[in-house]
Amino acid sequence: MSQTILIESNEDLRKIFSLNLNTFVGTDVIHRKNADDTIELLRILPQVGLVITQAKVGSEDTAVKIYNFIKSENLATALLIIGESKTI
C-alpha cells in the first residue's frame, strides 16, 4: 500500500483528508506537524509517494523546506501544496 504524509494543523480537515485518502485512494496516511518531522521521516522512508502540506505552518516555509529536501535527495516523492507558495 502507498504512503502519504499529511501536514495539516486543522484537526477537522486532517480527519477529512485522511479518511478520503485512505478510502478512495487506498493510501496509508502518516501525520506530521512540520517540515523537520517530515524530513526525518523521509530519511527513513524515502519511498513515500506523496507529501501533502500547507505552504506555511506558523512562520515556517514548510513547503519550501520539504521541496528542497526532495530535490536534493532526488526522491520520486510528489508534493502537493495547500495555499500559496511564491518561491516554488
Side-chain angles (χ1 to χ4, degrees):
M1 183 178 273
S2 68
Q3 295 176 316
T4 298
I5 298 174
L6 174 64
I7 304 170
E8 173 56 60
S9 56
N10 182 299
E11 185 176 346
D12 292 332
L13 287 175
R14 189 171 52 242
K15 288 177 184 176
I16 290 168
F17 287 148
S18 296
L19 178 64
N20 281 297
L21 286 164
N22 189 272
T23 302
F24 296 106
V25 181
T27 187
D28 285 330
V29 180
I30 305 166
H31 301 278
R32 288 293 175 256
K33 293 183 180 188
N34 56 40
D36 292 333
D37 289 347
T38 300
I39 290 168
E40 269 185 49
L41 185 60
L42 287 172
R43 288 185 198 281
I44 298 166
L45 299 172
Q47 73 278 7
V48 168
L50 173 64
V51 175
I52 301 172
T53 184
Q54 296 175 342
K56 287 184 165 251
V57 174
S59 62
E60 174 188 72
D61 283 327
T62 309
V64 172
K65 285 178 79 171
I66 294 169
Y67 172 80
N68 288 336
F69 176 78
I70 289 171
K71 290 297 266 185
S72 71
E73 297 296 313
N74 201 29
L75 300 179
T77 306
L79 179 63
L80 191 145
I81 303 168
I82 301 169
E84 185 176 359
S85 180
K86 295 179 182 183
T87 55
I88 296 179

